[in-house]
Amino acid sequence: MKDSPRLGVNIDHVATLRQARGEFYPSVVEAASVCLLAGADQITIHLREDRRHIQDTDVGAVALVTKKYGKPLNFEMGCHNEIVDIALATGPDWVCLVPEKREERTTEGGLDLLDETNFDKVSQACTKLKAGLPNLKISLFLEASAETLERAAKLPIDAVEIHTGEYAKAFLHGESTESYLGAFRRAQILLKEAGIGCHAGHGLTQESIQPLLQEGLFAEYNVGHWIICQAVFDGLGKVVTTMKESCLQYPLA
Ligand code: PXP
C-alpha cells in the first residue's frame, strides 16, 4: 500500500484558550492525546519567545504523550539561543525553524534565507541542534521561492515546510490560487531533486487542503487553527446538552 501524507496537528490554539483564563484547562496534554487517538501522525507545538500560548512546562508534558503513542513531536521555534537550549533538553523528533516577531498575530511568512545575517543565524541553529541531537530532523518554514529553496539546500536540513498561508487565504476568499499551486509544484520538484522532504503548513482548512492532496504536492501537512475552530462546532451542541441535562435534574421548588 502507498504511503498517505502525514497530518501533524498544531495544538497551540488549545493553549491560547487556556492562557486566556490563566487556568489549567483546556489541557494540551489531553488535546495531544485526543489528536493522536483520532489518527494524527504527529503533534506540533510552537514555544514562542513571548510564551503567548505554549508554556515551558507544556513542552516536556506533550513530549511524554507523543512518546507514549510512538508518534513524532514537531517542535516549532524561532532561532533564539534560549529556545534552542530547550529543544536540546527536550529532544523532539523534529524541529521546524520559523521566523518570529513579537508584534505578529501568528507566523506571517517563511524565513528570509536571502539575508546573510539571517542565513547565518539559521545555519548556526541547525548546526547546534544537530550536534546536540544526532537523530533530530530539521525543517525550515519557507516561501515556495526557487531562490530561497536553493539557499535552504545548502543547510543540514531534512525537510522544508512550505508556507501555505497566502494560498489558503486566496482559496478562502474565492480568489485564484493558480500562481500558488504553480509555485508549490516547482518547489516539490526542486526539493525532490535536492533530496529534501516537502511539507506544508499554515492557514489550511478541510477545503483548501483538498487541491494539495489531490495533486500529491506534500508529504506532510501541519494544521492547527482550523482544526481547533471546527472542533468547537463538532462538540458545542454535545457539551450544551450535557449541562442542560444537569439543569433538568434539579427542578426549582
Ligand atoms: N506550520 C507553521 C510553521 C506554523 O507557524 C503554523 C502556525 O503556528 C502552522 C503550521 C499551523 O498553522 P494554522 O494554525 O494556521 O493551521
Side-chain angles (χ1 to χ4, degrees), residues 10 12-13 76 96 98 106-107 141 161 201-203 222-225:
N10 180 318
D12 294 348
H13 305 289
E76 241 184 65
C96 178
V98 301
T106 177
T107 317
F141 188 54
E161 182 171 318
H202 214 276
N222 286 296
V223 187
H225 189 252

Side-chain angles (χ1 to χ4, degrees), residues 54-89:
I54 294 293
Q55 303 297 302
D56 295 43
T57 49
D58 293 328
V59 179
V62 172
L64 282 179
V65 180
T66 51
K67 200 169 186 182
K68 176 177 159 196
Y69 289 94
K71 298 283 179 173
L73 172 66
N74 179 29
F75 187 62
E76 241 184 65
M77 52 177 275
C79 296
H80 312 293
N81 287 333
E82 180 213 1
I83 310 284
V84 169
D85 289 342
I86 293 173
L88 289 171

Side-chain angles (χ1 to χ4, degrees), residues 216-227:
L217 285 173
F218 302 102
E220 178 181 303
Y221 296 87
N222 286 296
V223 187
H225 189 252
W226 189 85
I227 288 181

